[in-house]
Structure formats: structure tokens, C-alpha cells
Amino acid sequence: MDMSVFDLFKIGIGPSSSHTVGPMVAARRFLLDAGPLDDVVRVDVALYGSLALTGVGHGTDKAVILGLMGETPQDVDPDQVDTMLAAAEAQKELKLLGTHAVPFSASVNLQYHKTENLPEHPNGMRCTLQRANGSVLSKVYYSIGGGFIREEGEAAVGDAKPAVKLPYPFDTMSQLLGHGVTRGLSIPQMLRANELARMGAAQLDAGLDRIWHVMRDCIAHGLQTEGKLPGGLDVKRRAAGLWRQAQGKEHANELPHDALHQVSLYAMAVNEENAAGGRVVTAPTNGAAGIIPAVLRYYAEDCRPSDPVAGVRNFLLTAAAIGMLCKRNASISGAEIGCQGEVGVACAMAAAGLVAALGGTNAQIENAAEIGIEHHLGMTCDPIGGLVQIPCIERNGMGAVKAITAASLALKGDGTHFVSLDEVIETMRQTGADMQAKYKETSLGGLAIHVVTVNHAAC
């Protein structure tokens, strides 16, 4: 499995890794691969399936335009996005990769095929350009979850053989546990060794520290920012107000679980930032981006680690291992297997990471991850209005608390349990395959339909 920790944790912007980050990367890649652009006279992008059905709510239209302009998720300034897009629409033109101008209007050059899916994945997009001599170049890309993309016919990230020889290759948890028994190493030690086959220790540690820094900043910004989220639902940001109550003890109905209450607020703060199009870390997706940062902050502040720097790095390496296995053997795309592949996987990653950071055994790490997924099996992805707000924000708060509970259960045992992580990942894959399409990020079923219907009836 050729996948790195930095494939699972990518710095980008909200609100969706599959509908924002992936399409932005794909649109830019299309132009980079197209060759000279000075004779291009027209560019069109057609969106299919889930990208078409919930694309506007998830910011796919904006992301595609930004990608065509040459912007990247990790470098674009979230505070300048609306200004850049408004200027382009007012001028009715885009500068492709920031250089060559062509006529462009979102209402003309973006097409939505809501009743049609492309064959390889529900998140499909076709990019087309026409040159002055009449020749046409067209390519299909799929946004397969977590910001990963692939061109039509291309192998998915992680499916190919590693470009370098890894000391501890694995495609299943059973294989990884086997390496641990044979070599007497922990899961974070083995993941670290695999990463060091690709890069130096200083680069690896700086990258991991950077991921945690961005996560921590995202929590802090979300705990200070109030107002309403964009998109038309008028959803009020709650994390800042609830955080102020928790700090000031202003609320009369306190419960004796302040630490866990704060964890849920950390997660909600991140996902409110995500819903507002802010800077987040895909972990493993944007829709589930709050769980791992919340549990990491709980570890760093409430678990009183003796070496928090090393603990955070071990947490991220271990969490990445679980994410790799889920992506390789099932999916992390809500459009493919529902929210069990997003919030469920993030919960499992966080639970495993916390156990590793606290010095748990490999068996306890595997147990924690299995618990995290098992208790999200069958969770649908049914965002109201196609927005990553309801129920997504609260689901992250609940997922973070469940991750800590899973870690606690695993640490109190010896790692022995009935269902293996490999078995529950396969169960998640089969459950997603059996799930009706209307429950997989289409906003055609579940809460998305029920709430809208009720609201219309009330009007």
C-alpha cells in the first residue's frame, strides 16, 4: 500500500474534502496536464452524481473555478476566496492558472448532471477545453474522498506498489500486527519507519508538527468566532458561546463531565470553521475534520502527557495507519459508503491514536479502532440543503466523545476482543455497498428530505 501520513492529513479549506478540495485539485491538474494554454478559447466543467446534487452547498462550483485559476487548497487564502470569485464573475473571464484569460461564467461553463453518474465513482467531473484551431481536450476525474482524486482509468492512491521499499508494508491490520509481533515494535514505530523510507526525520517531524499546529489554530479560531454560517439555512455558530459558558460557568445546568463537554466543543468549533470555508486539515475528510483535533487537544491538555510532542506525533502516525486501512479496504467517501466512512473512520483513527499516545499496546490500538467503527456502522450521509452543517457539525462533537470512550474501553482491557478491525472494515464496505444512493451525500433522503419537507409544510 503506497500511502503516506500526509496523504491522510492534508491542509486545505472547507467545506468538503471530496466536493471542494478534490475538485479544486482536479481542475488545476487538468490545466497543468493540458500543455500550453495560450490558444485556449473555452473551458467547461461538467459535474455528475453527488458532485452535481450537493455541489453548490459543498462549494464545488467555487472550488472548480479556483482550481482553474491555479489556486491550491493548501495555499489559497480563505478570506480572499469570495473577493476573487466575485471579480472573476464580474469580468466574465478567468485567467487559467493565473496567466491566460478566457471567457467564463459559472452559469454557462459549469454544468450539473444530477441524474447521471460516471462509471467509476459517484463524484465524477468532466473537464473540457477548446483551442482556437477547434481541437478539443476532455478528461474525466473522480474525487474519491478525503481530497484524493484519480483520472479515469488511473489506479487509486494507495493501490499501487510503493515507490520505495517500505520496511513494514501492510494492506491489513493483521499484517501490521504480525510485523509488530515479529519485530517487537509498536504501530507508531513501524509507521514512522515507513515514513522515514520516504523522507528525513526532520522533514517528517516538521510535517507532523505543522498538521497539529493548523488543527490547534482551527480549534482556537472556531472557539472565538460567532455569527451565522453561510449557505442559506441561517445556522448559528454555537461553539464560541458554549465555550464561553463552559469557561465562565454561566449555565445553571452543569453536568460533571466538563472535559468531555469541552472535547465536543473543540470538534464543533473545527467543523463550524469548515462549514464557513475556513482553513482545516482533512482528517481523513473535511466533513469529519473535527474529531481528531478535538481528541488530540484532549490528550495534550487533559491527559497530562510527559512528552506531548512525541505523543502527538505517535497519535497522528497511528491514526494515519487506521485511515490507510479504511481507505484501502473500504472507503472514506460519504458519497460512496455514507457517513460511516467519514465520521466513523475519523472516530476510529482518533481512538487508536489516543491509545498509542498513552502507551497502549498494538492489540489495544486495534481494539480501540474497531470499537470506533463498529458503533458507526450504517451511518448515512444526508446533509440538509447539501451543506456540511446539519447533522455534520454535531456528529463530529459526538464522534470525538465516542473516540475517547472507545480508547478508554480498549485501555482497560488486554486487547482481546471478538470482532477484528479487518472484519469491521469489510463490514463497513459491504454496508456501504448495500446502502441506497439517497443516503450517500445526495441530499435525496434522510434528514435532508424530512426537514425540508417539514419546513415547507410549516410555510
Side-chain angles (χ1 to χ4, degrees), residues 170-214:
F170 65 98
D171 288 323
T172 65
M173 176 54 82
S174 177
Q175 292 173 352
L176 190 56
L177 291 174
H179 288 313
V181 171
T182 301
R183 302 298 294 273
L185 295 174
S186 69
I187 288 175
Q189 286 173 328
M190 290 184 285
L191 265 290
R192 183 175 182 84
N194 282 355
E195 293 297 329
L196 291 178
R198 300 182 175 97
M199 66 191 76
Q203 181 183 359
L204 172 60
D205 289 339
L208 293 171
D209 295 347
R210 170 66 174 157
I211 292 297
W212 172 223
H213 178 79
V214 174

Side-chain angles (χ1 to χ4, degrees), residues 94-166:
L94 284 185
K95 283 192 175 181
L96 303 182
L97 299 183
T99 58
H100 175 64
V102 297
F104 191 95
S105 174
S107 61
V108 174
N109 300 98
L110 293 180
Q111 296 96 39
Y112 300 84
H113 300 273
K114 297 184 177 181
T115 60
E116 184 179 353
N117 280 334
L118 296 179
E120 295 182 18
H121 195 277
N123 291 334
M125 55 189 286
R126 185 185 302 276
C127 301
T128 304
L129 64 79
Q130 181 178 344
R131 300 187 185 277
N133 64 6
S135 64
V136 173
L137 175 67
S138 181
K139 291 188 177 183
V140 169
Y141 297 90
Y142 295 95
S143 180
I144 58 176
F148 292 90
I149 67 165
R150 70 168 182 253
E151 189 176 338
E152 187 175 39
E154 181 181 32
V157 172
D159 288 346
K161 291 183 178 180
V164 297
K165 185 176 181 180
L166 302 179

Side-chain angles (χ1 to χ4, degrees), residues 27-40 43 96-97 99-100 129 131 137 139 141:
R28 182 173 181 268
R29 174 175 160 180
F30 172 65
L31 294 181
L32 288 172
D33 292 345
L37 302 175
D38 54 341
D39 62 342
V40 174
V43 172
L96 303 182
L97 299 183
T99 58
H100 175 64
L129 64 79
R131 300 187 185 277
L137 175 67
K139 291 188 177 183
Y141 297 90

